[in-house]
C-alpha cells in the first residue's frame, strides 16, 4: 500500500512508475479482421499484469 499511496496521482508515466506497478506485459500475435493475411484491418490483444493486483479486466 505504501507504493500505491506514493503514486495515487501522477502526470507522467515514467520508467520508475512502470517498474513499480507493472509486473509484466503480454502482447499476443495480431489477427486479421478483414480476412486477408496482410490486410490493413488487424487486432492485437495486449494484457497488462499489475504488481500486487494481477490482470485487470476493463469493460468495453
Amino acid at each position: 500500500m505504501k507504493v500505491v499511496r506514493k503514486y495515487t496521482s501522477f502526470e507522467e508515466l515514467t520508467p520508475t512508475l512502470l517498474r513499480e506497478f507493472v509486473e509484466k506485459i503480454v502482447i499476443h500475435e495480431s489477427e486479421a479482421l478483414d480476412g486477408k493475411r496482410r490486410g490493413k484491418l488487424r487486432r492485437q490483444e495486449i494484457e497488462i499484469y499489475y504488481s500486487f493486483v494481477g490482470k485487470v479486466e476493463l469493460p468495453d
Side-chain angles (χ1 to χ4, degrees):
M1 287 307 295
K2 183 179 178 182
V3 173
V4 172
R5 285 190 191 103
K6 183 178 173 183
Y7 295 109
T8 55
S9 176
F10 57 91
E11 297 287 323
E12 181 180 347
L13 187 60
T14 64
T16 301
L17 187 64
L18 278 175
R19 281 191 292 277
E20 289 190 11
F21 273 116
V22 177
E23 180 181 330
K24 68 180 175 179
I25 299 173
V26 178
I27 301 173
H28 296 271
E29 185 174 349
S30 64
E31 60 185 56
L33 296 178
D34 56 5
K36 299 177 183 175
R37 185 170 184 200
R38 296 193 182 267
K40 291 185 179 184
L41 188 57
R42 305 186 70 71
R43 178 175 52 190
Q44 190 167 17
E45 183 180 355
I46 299 173
E47 299 174 319
I48 301 174
Y49 292 82
Y50 297 93
S51 302
F52 316 112
V53 178
K55 181 179 165 188
V56 176
E57 295 289 337
L58 299 176
D60 290 335

